[in-house]
Amino acid sequence: MPKVSAAGGENEDAYAIDADTGYAAVADGASAWFRAADWAAALCESFLAHRPLDGAASTSWIDAATTAFGRPAN
């Protein structure tokens, strides 16, 4: 949900769904932070790509999100 003070459709939160596998990810974009929406989207996309709940505990999906976030936007 956008904040009350947000301008038309402005929202920093993100979600991603993989209906085929039943995976879903939701991330709250901390609005006081630089590129909060991009970071939230990178977390969701990486979570679905790496499926960290399927195996041993690992931070590889967060590392991948960090790398993706550092790349310039297309």
Side-chain angles (χ1 to χ4, degrees), residues 4-42:
V4 174
S5 62
E10 189 177 56
N11 187 352
E12 294 89 8
D13 303 335
Y15 71 93
I17 299 170
D18 184 339
D20 293 336
T21 63
Y23 261 80
V26 178
D28 180 12
S31 61
W33 195 65
F34 174 70
R35 291 180 53 204
D38 295 336
W39 175 239

Side-chain angles (χ1 to χ4, degrees), residues 29-53:
S31 61
W33 195 65
F34 174 70
R35 291 180 53 204
D38 295 336
W39 175 239
L43 285 172
C44 289
E45 291 168 14
S46 185
F47 184 87
L48 291 186
H50 289 85
R51 304 197 193 312
L53 302 178

